[in-house]
């Protein structure tokens, strides 16, 4: 997606297009996944859509949005199962505005424990409307009213 007038291009859009040296751990027509540059856990991946979607606030109760988030979650789970099988706990979720660091939807996939431990604060649900939202809770929130098959 082109940058808005006066704004630098979206870094995650550049990563999704392969325009950076970022090492991709997964890529398909819908999403790409890579390691977080400032990891908060033993393994910390980000799964982003190829299409620019600014934040979770831009997702709706549409089948396409539900399938996208579900796919992002499945990719994250697969990566952690492959790369951190010894991890007994994991966390998957999104930061909601104003706590998102970049305006491109990204799923945090964390194989716990947190490193350092105090970083867990960043990945705690503060309230239903802002802070960190678990991926499963987001899926419940955007589940279309009609029956959706995964």
């Amino acid at each position: 997606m082109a940058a808005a007038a006066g704004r630098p291009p979206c870094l995650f859009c550049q990563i999704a297009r392969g325009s950076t040296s970022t090492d991709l751990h997964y890529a398909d027509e819908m999403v790409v996944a890579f390691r977080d540059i400032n990891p908060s856990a033993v393994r910390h991946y980000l799964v982003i859509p190829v299409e620019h979607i600014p934040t979770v606030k831009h997702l709706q109760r549409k089948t396409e949005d539900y399938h996208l988030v579900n796919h992002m979650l499945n990719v994250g789970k697969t990566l952690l199962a492959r790369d951190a099988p010894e991890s007994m706990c994991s966390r998957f979720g999104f930061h909601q505005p104003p706590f998102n660091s970049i305006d491109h939807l990204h799923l945090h996939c964390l194989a716990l424990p947190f490193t350092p431990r105090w970083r867990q604060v960043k990945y705690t649900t503060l309230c239903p409307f802002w802070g960190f939202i678990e991926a499963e809770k987001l899926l419940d929130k955007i589940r279309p009213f009609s029956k959706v098959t995964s």
Side-chain angles (χ1 to χ4, degrees):
M1 174 176 248
R7 280 194 176 156
C10 171
L11 175 61
F12 283 4
C13 285
Q14 293 175 14
I15 291 170
R17 285 193 307 266
S19 303
T20 70
S21 61
T22 302
D23 184 24
L24 299 181
H25 289 259
Y26 179 88
D28 65 24
E29 67 283 347
M30 292 176 65
V31 301
V32 299
F34 51 94
R35 285 192 176 186
D36 192 299
I37 62 168
N38 190 13
S40 294
V42 175
R43 283 281 188 276
H44 187 168
Y45 292 113
L46 299 178
V47 180
I48 66 170
V50 171
E51 175 189 347
H52 184 86
I53 299 170
T55 71
V56 295
K57 300 291 186 188
H58 293 83
L59 298 171
Q60 300 174 13
R61 286 187 178 270
K62 296 189 314 189
T63 302
E64 303 82 45
D65 288 353
Y66 181 85
H67 281 300
L68 172 65
V69 173
N70 193 53
H71 181 58
M72 293 170 75
L73 179 57
N74 287 334
V75 167
K77 286 179 176 180
T78 300
L79 285 172
L80 292 188
R82 180 190 76 194
D83 297 343
E86 70 287 351
S87 180
M88 302 301 280
C89 295
S90 55
R91 185 161 296 162
F92 301 91
F94 302 86
H95 289 292
Q96 299 180 93
F99 296 100
N100 53 310
S101 57
I102 188 165
D103 279 337
H104 189 118
L105 186 68
H106 54 285
L107 172 67
H108 289 271
C109 308
L110 302 124
L112 304 181
F114 288 102
T115 55
R117 284 183 53 100
W118 62 264
R119 289 237 177 140
Q120 67 187 353
V121 171
K122 287 176 58 176
Y123 304 94
T124 302
T125 303
L126 300 174
C127 82
F129 308 109
W130 49 277
F132 189 76
I133 184 170
E134 298 279 339
E136 294 289 348
K137 291 203 185 306
L138 179 61
L139 283 169
D140 288 343
K141 187 175 175 181
I142 65 169
R143 185 179 316 277
F145 292 112
S146 61
K147 179 98 171 123
V148 174
T149 56
S150 294

